[in-house]
Amino acid sequence: MKKKCGKWRKVLPLLYVLILMISLMPTNTKAAENSYAVNGGMETDFWTDGSWSFQDLDDSQVEVHHFAYAEDTWIKPAEGQYALKFWIKDNASAQTFKVKQTAASLPAGKYELTVQTMGGADKEAGQVALFAGSSKTSQAATKGYNNWETQSLTFELSQDTANFEFGAEIAGQPNTWGYLDGFSLKKVDGSATEPVESDIFVEKVEGLNDNFIKGVDVSSVITQEDSGVTYYNEAGQEQDIFKTLADSGVNYVRVRIWNDPYDASGNGYGGGNNDLEKAKEIGKRATANGMKLLVDFHYSDFWADPAKQQAPKAWANLSLEDKKKALYSYTKDSLQALLNEGINIGMVQVGNETTGGFVGEKDWTKMSELFNEGSKAIKEVDPNILTALHFTNPETAGRYASIAKTLDDNNVDYDVFASSYYPFWHGSLSNLTSVLKNVADTYGKKVMVAETSYTYTSIDGDGHENTAPKSSGQTLNYPVTVQGQATAVRDVIEAVANVGDAGIGVFYWEPAWIPVGSPDKLAQNKAIWEKYGSGWASSYAAEYDPHDAGAWFGGSAVDNQALFDFNGKPLASLNVFKYVNTGAVAPVKIEKLTDVTIEAAAGEDIKLPETVTAVYNDGTEGPIAVTWDEQALIEAINAGIGEYVINGTVEGGLSVKANLTIKPENFVQNPSFEEADKSMWKITYPNDLAPHADFLKNPADAKSGEHSLHFYSADRVDFTVEQTITGLTPGYYDASMFIQGGDAAAANMKLYVKTNDKQYDVPTNVTGWNIWADPKISDILILNGTVTIGASIQANAGAWGSLDDFSFVKTADYEEAVEEEEQTPPAQDDQAEDSDEQEEVSAGEEINNETTVKQEEPKQETEKHETNKQVKEENTQQEQKGNSLPDTATSIFNFLLLGSVLLVSGAILYKI
């Protein structure tokens, strides 16, 4: 993970990427050792590779497919990109058949067989039962589209068993359909080691190899110590951090190396100023404490990640051939220099997060040639050192399969396929296991996670904003607590271990990058960051990276993701690296209380809940009684529209908050699509287009709640969605909605409102995932009680996005507006004449043409935050001012006005 890299981590939503990406999956597979269920994720074609066989399958009655999730726009994948799909034909009789596999040999022990199932409901439900040898579960019915469930069967073998058969039995009536995915057969027994008593709960990771890498990247630690940071042991005594790490179960240290992270005057770029000399010092201290070293060559003078793969200054003008020679020599010389210091090097990375480029090259053929130069140098120095290549964004469908195939096609020599995985950005753990297992099984590579982390507090420790947690664009499936952090790390370790023997380890990124000073000493902190390079970047980096580091240099953006507290004492979560082998238990206590969010319309009866959700450190949750500040609630209700925080307490004195928002009444029914009945919304398309918008449940793509209106089309996007509202009282109203998405070329998108005689609209657009635009239309005059609010969305092929939170609220009564008009002082004669002329023209235009009033396009203000370069766009609507009736006045008034003018004109002509 790199400071200032949040923008590229905001990748496309999974549903739509499934359509866009080409999944380059091979047709043969090589099972990883000790992985008992071969092709359990159905990622290769079982018809051609023979990984699964079928018994009692009548092809004339039943269809079975190797199904690609990309074939169905709206399906929620269980894992990976493929599944087994079955359908009992509508003219068939009742059917029962088996999908099965035979393990050549299973050692004695206890096992668990699991599978994920989904399919039809009621009469179309598939009945699925797992079997393993003579053991079998009862039948379980599928429960409807996208309702995935996991079935499991636990059994025990008293002796080693050959040719052991396992799988699933499927039964159903005509028109039964369903999917199977994620078969897993794991040995679940192990040593009888009792869990260790601790301050945190850690569930033991079964079957973890003794050589499994439990690593940390502490590249910034030298500059941290130079800046005055002190590290302690659990007893609060000052201690070498490398000993503390080793005592906590860490067995590997990762260190990044930049070629020349200094300007011409010798000023460091920051981020640890990680040159070769820093790597030597870190490597020697790691080796002295019994840990191996992973050398992470960035082949850059500063941060390299998917958004930035800039060649070192000295290589900037080299040809490809000269660049290859330089990379080979630099790798070989640097590696030998490290070994000469007696450092125990186990692995070397050729590049860092090279998903989008490498050493300034973006063509994969050229990148592959450069990869091979690094690998060649490593093998010549020591063939026992593992060569790793490092990529990121495993959640993007088909990405790792495509990259691994490209590397194989280009004959790239490497040992380890490494991935970044941050839980708040990179999708599910089951998907991580699936995509890494596919690479391991197909190409015989070892796999690992080279970077992960999780936040334990939302507090900023040094005055430089943190990358997480954020209110949008992140999936926080764990509590932001020390326990949540420990569980997140434990689960990533398990996900890699689930790959099998090919899953070799996990590295935690920068657990020691804590504050050099408190937030109230920001000026002092900045001076330290500049002097020692202990912030993510110094101002001196501007010469090399002017657009990012040069503009947003500063401190640590991950101090709240460290495994040490702000004062340098290890958190209980640091011990997760040893507890995954034994398990750990702790006294059960409340880890956090979940704050309450309540929205209500002005005038509604507002009641706060009697209980809130308590999250306990053992991972369980439950309700607990709460006492609210009733006086504060009464004051908020009396104050009316606004945002309020009502404090509450539970037994034991822990506090919780109710975030109360009192809004004007929203007359849009089901405005956020959360209710099951969505019949009030009408979606229409041109006659030549198939439907390509639907209401989907996916919290990551919703502005609020869990649902939104998604759209995507591989042809073109063109639809309207609208709702007609009736029974409105006369007055002025405001309309708004939220929209996000991307890839919208030639876009024509707008929010619109239609009254009985006018249409108002405001343009909008999509600029990226979770970058929400908020178009608004103000001062809409409603007299007859009926209005239609909607959105028109048009864009070229491949556009995607979601709409959410429509709003139509009253801002003023019509009678009040008329009274204000009557109180307006009379205009001067010349001004009155001008006004009459303008109103006469306006009235004439309105009689002959239906008026379309277009609001000014919202201004877009782009704010670059210092932490993750996330672009936030805010749309503001220019206010209409003045005392005359607005353009939204009805044509009746204008008609009367025109009639008065004509009568006066006639009288004057008559006199003449």
Side-chain angles (χ1 to χ4, degrees):
M1 184 175 73
K2 307 299 171 287
K3 181 68 183 67
K4 307 306 289 172
C5 57
K7 185 175 181 180
W8 60 262
R9 297 189 188 278
K10 296 184 175 183
V11 296
L12 302 177
L14 180 60
L15 288 173
Y16 309 109
V17 179
L18 287 169
I19 305 234
L20 300 174
M21 296 296 295
I22 300 174
S23 182
L24 302 174
M25 302 297 297
T27 56
N28 57 4
T29 183
K30 182 174 123 183
E33 260 184 275
N34 295 333
S35 178
Y36 299 114
V38 178
N39 192 25
M42 306 297 172
E43 295 305 300
T44 62
D45 189 350
F46 43 77
W47 293 118
T48 58
D49 65 19
S51 54
W52 293 94
S53 61
F54 297 85
Q55 180 179 323
D56 301 327
L57 177 64
D58 186 345
D59 293 341
S60 66
Q61 303 282 301
V62 182
E63 291 185 4
V64 174
H65 301 284
H66 181 234
F67 173 78
Y69 287 119
E71 296 176 15
D72 185 344
T73 305
W74 310 120
I75 197 169
K76 176 184 177 183
E79 64 175 48
Q81 296 114 54
Y82 292 90
L84 182 154
K85 179 182 179 181
F86 64 88
W87 175 54
I88 300 177
K89 299 179 181 179
D90 53 8
N91 58 355
S93 57
Q95 296 290 309
T96 300
F97 65 95
K98 291 182 177 180
V99 53
K100 62 181 184 176
Q101 192 174 114
T102 301
S105 177
L106 288 182
K110 187 176 181 181
Y111 292 84
E112 183 180 36
L113 174 66
T114 60
V115 68
Q116 296 187 65
T117 61
M118 181 267 285
D122 301 325
K123 294 181 179 180
E124 296 181 349
Q127 303 292 328
V128 181
L130 288 176
F131 67 89
S134 59
S135 301
K136 184 179 178 182
T137 65
S138 57
Q139 289 184 337
T142 58
K143 296 181 179 178
Y145 185 66
N146 276 341
N147 288 326
W148 287 97
E149 291 192 331
T150 300
Q151 297 188 38
S152 63
L153 168 63
T154 302
F155 62 94
E156 191 164 358
L157 298 177
S158 59
Q159 60 185 13
D160 295 352
T161 305
N163 300 320
F164 186 82
E165 192 174 88
F166 63 90
E169 181 181 86
I170 303 169
Q173 300 298 319
N175 268 330
T176 290
W177 57 274
Y179 302 80
L180 273 65
D181 199 356
F183 267 101
S184 173
L185 177 59
K186 295 194 304 182
K187 194 174 182 182
V188 294
D189 65 338
S191 63
T193 305
E194 290 296 321
V196 176
E197 292 187 4
S198 175
D199 295 328
I200 55 173
F201 279 89
V202 177
E203 183 182 356
K204 178 183 176 182
V205 177
E206 299 291 347
L208 199 62
N209 190 299
D210 290 340
N211 296 320
F212 191 88
I213 295 171
K214 293 173 284 186
V216 296
D217 186 323
V218 288
S219 297
S220 68
V221 70
I222 304 301
T223 55
Q224 288 286 103
E225 292 172 337
D226 291 344
S227 299
V229 171
T230 302
Y231 298 97
Y232 302 88
N233 60 19
E234 289 183 350
Q237 300 169 334
E238 186 174 345
Q239 179 172 282
D240 182 2
I241 186 175
F242 288 87
K243 176 172 173 45
T244 304
L245 293 171
D247 290 345
S248 300
V250 174
N251 57 18
Y252 236 103
V253 169
R254 179 176 184 253
V255 62
R256 57 182 169 267
I257 296 182
W258 294 318
N259 289 37
D260 181 22
Y262 301 94
D263 68 10
S265 300
N267 299 304
Y269 291 163
N273 292 341
N274 286 113
D275 58 6
L276 182 60
E277 294 306 310
K278 292 286 192 309
K280 288 179 181 179
E281 185 173 350
I282 289 172
K284 286 190 290 185
R285 291 171 66 179
T287 300
N289 285 278
M291 297 177 283
K292 289 186 177 182
L293 189 71
L294 164 58
V295 181
D296 175 15
F297 286 115
H298 282 220
Y299 301 107
S300 177
D301 288 341
F302 206 39
W303 296 111
D305 55 46
K308 298 190 292 288
Q309 289 288 336
Q310 187 174 346
K313 296 184 291 288
W315 301 0
N317 298 317
L318 296 183
S319 66
L320 176 63
E321 290 303 315
D322 288 340
K323 196 181 293 184
K324 287 163 58 178
K325 294 176 183 177
L327 189 146
Y328 165 80
S329 298
Y330 177 77
T331 305
K332 190 170 186 178
D333 294 345
S334 298
L335 189 55
Q336 189 61 59
L338 291 166
L339 290 172
N340 291 344
E341 299 287 339
I343 298 170
N344 184 5
I345 300 175
M347 192 185 317
V348 176
Q349 269 185 227
V350 181
N352 188 81
E353 292 188 328
T354 55
T355 309
F358 184 47
V359 201
E361 304 292 343
K362 294 186 177 295
D363 178 86
W364 276 90
T365 300
K366 296 178 180 179
M367 290 166 58
S368 296
E369 293 179 26
L370 289 164
F371 288 145
N372 271 333
E373 291 299 319
S375 178
K376 176 184 174 184
I378 295 165
K379 299 306 180 188
E380 287 182 0
V381 172
D382 186 345
N384 295 315
I385 294 176
L386 295 175
T387 299
L389 300 181
H390 180 200
F391 308 99
T392 191
N393 293 107
E395 80 285 3
T396 305
R399 171 164 284 170
Y400 281 8
S402 176
I403 290 174
K405 184 178 187 304
T406 300
L407 296 173
D408 189 63
D409 290 344
N410 289 333
N411 297 312
V412 177
D413 180 19
Y414 71 105
D415 305 304
V416 182
F417 189 102
S419 173
S420 291
Y421 177 79
Y422 293 95
F424 31 79
W425 283 316
H426 291 151
S428 70
L429 288 165
S430 61
N431 177 72
L432 175 68
T433 301
S434 177
V435 295
L436 291 181
K437 183 171 173 51
N438 177 58
V439 173
D441 289 356
T442 306
Y443 302 103
K445 302 298 180 183
K446 301 178 188 298
V447 295
M448 72 176 190
V449 166
E451 296 181 19
T452 192
S453 69
Y454 198 77
T455 178
Y456 75 91
T457 178
S458 58
I459 298 173
D460 168 33
D462 64 359
H464 183 88
E465 190 182 0
N466 296 324
T467 56
K470 296 294 181 184
S471 59
S472 64
Q474 295 181 346
T475 302
L476 301 170
N477 286 331
Y478 301 91
V480 180
T481 61
V482 173
Q483 178 66 62
Q485 182 184 53
T487 305
V489 178
R490 180 261 172 211
D491 288 354
V492 175
I493 290 174
E494 182 183 53
V496 175
N498 284 344
V499 172
D501 281 358
I504 63 171
V506 171
F507 286 85
Y508 195 96
W509 197 74
E510 288 286 7
W513 206 345
I514 61 177
V516 300
S518 58
D520 59 343
K521 298 179 180 178
L522 184 58
Q524 173 183 302
N525 296 345
K526 288 180 177 179
I528 295 174
W529 298 330
E530 286 285 285
K531 181 176 180 179
Y532 297 105
S534 51
W536 87 270
S538 71
S539 62
Y540 306 113
E543 68 166 24
Y544 187 73
D545 181 13
H547 301 297
D548 191 4
W552 308 108
F553 56 89
S556 172
V558 293
D559 50 40
N560 67 332
Q561 295 179 52
L563 297 175
F564 293 79
D565 67 19
F566 292 164
N567 296 312
K569 186 178 179 180
L571 300 170
S573 49
L574 178 62
N575 287 320
V576 70
F577 294 108
K578 61 182 178 183
Y579 290 160
V580 289
N581 292 99
T582 62
V585 294
V588 177
K589 62 180 181 179
I590 295 176
E591 185 77 3
K592 65 172 293 187
L593 297 172
T594 303
D595 290 342
V596 176
T597 299
I598 298 175
E599 292 187 355
E604 284 185 1
D605 184 20
I606 301 175
K607 291 184 178 179
L608 298 183
E610 296 180 353
T611 63
V612 293
T613 300
V615 180
Y616 296 88
N617 58 339
D618 63 352
T620 61
E621 297 182 1
I624 185 169
V626 59
T627 301
W628 298 106
D629 184 343
E630 292 294 336
Q631 183 59 38
L633 176 60
I634 293 172
E635 291 174 359
I637 293 172
N638 291 337
I641 297 171
E643 296 182 354
Y644 309 92
V645 175
I646 312 299
N647 292 315
T649 57
V650 302
E651 185 178 355
L654 293 176
S655 60
V656 66
K657 295 178 180 178
N659 299 298
L660 172 63
T661 302
I662 301 178
K663 296 182 175 181
E665 181 179 0
N666 184 4
F667 294 98
V668 178
Q669 297 182 58
N670 200 5
S672 303
F673 317 116
E674 300 299 324
E675 299 170 15
D677 181 12
K678 299 177 178 63
S679 60
M680 68 288 294
W681 290 103
K682 179 182 179 183
I683 305 175
T684 58
Y685 310 88
N687 293 332
D688 60 334
L689 274 188
H692 51 271
D694 199 3
F695 306 103
L696 289 185
K697 180 179 179 180
N698 185 356
D701 293 334
K703 183 65 176 65
S704 65
E706 297 183 325
H707 295 77
S708 62
L709 176 61
H710 288 261
F711 63 87
Y712 169 83
S713 175
D715 298 323
R716 78 175 192 273
V717 171
D718 191 350
F719 72 95
T720 61
V721 56
E722 64 180 28
Q723 178 182 142
T724 297
I725 306 168
T726 59
L728 299 172
T729 58
Y732 292 89
Y733 293 77
D734 287 355
S736 66
M737 71 171 188
F738 285 89
I739 183 170
Q740 64 92 29
D743 294 331
N748 180 14
M749 303 180 180
K750 62 184 179 181
L751 169 72
Y752 65 80
V753 171
K754 295 186 290 188
T755 65
N756 65 320
D757 59 351
K758 299 183 188 301
Q759 175 166 321
Y760 313 90
D761 57 57
V762 59
T764 188
N765 209 336
V766 292
T767 55
W769 181 52
N770 255 291
I771 302 175
W772 289 94
D774 182 18
K776 295 182 176 71
I777 303 174
S778 300
D779 296 329
I780 304 164
L781 178 61
I782 304 297
L783 293 178
N784 70 342
T786 300
V787 70
T788 297
I789 182 174
S792 173
I793 309 297
Q794 297 176 335
N796 284 357
W800 56 268
S802 56
L803 289 76
D804 205 358
D805 290 1
F806 279 80
S807 174
F808 195 78
V809 299
K810 189 174 184 180
T811 58
D813 290 334
Y814 176 63
E815 291 79 8
E816 293 175 358
V818 172
E819 289 174 3
E820 291 178 4
E821 174 69 17
E822 291 173 349
Q823 294 171 5
T824 303
Q828 298 297 322
D829 291 344
D830 56 339
Q831 294 174 333
E833 290 175 2
D834 292 340
S835 176
D836 289 343
E837 291 175 1
Q838 291 173 2
E839 289 181 335
E840 183 175 353
V841 171
S842 175
E845 288 177 348
E846 192 156 344
I847 288 174
N848 294 304
N849 300 288
E850 181 180 0
T851 303
T852 298
V853 180
K854 290 193 175 183
Q855 301 285 320
E856 180 183 352
E857 184 172 359
K859 300 174 184 176
Q860 296 184 346
E861 299 177 353
T862 303
E863 177 185 0
K864 279 192 173 181
H865 284 283
E866 290 185 1
T867 54
N868 59 0
K869 224 169 52 174
Q870 176 182 355
V871 178
K872 296 183 179 179
E873 298 191 356
E874 300 178 354
N875 296 304
T876 58
Q877 183 66 39
Q878 186 177 27
E879 296 181 357
Q880 296 181 354
K881 298 181 179 180
N883 293 321
S884 62
L885 280 173
D887 291 340
T888 53
T890 66
S891 57
I892 296 175
F893 177 83
N894 291 324
F895 181 82
L896 293 173
L897 177 61
L898 178 60
S900 299
V901 172
L902 292 175
L903 286 172
V904 173
S905 300
I908 293 172
L909 290 172
Y910 177 76
K911 289 182 179 180
I912 293 174

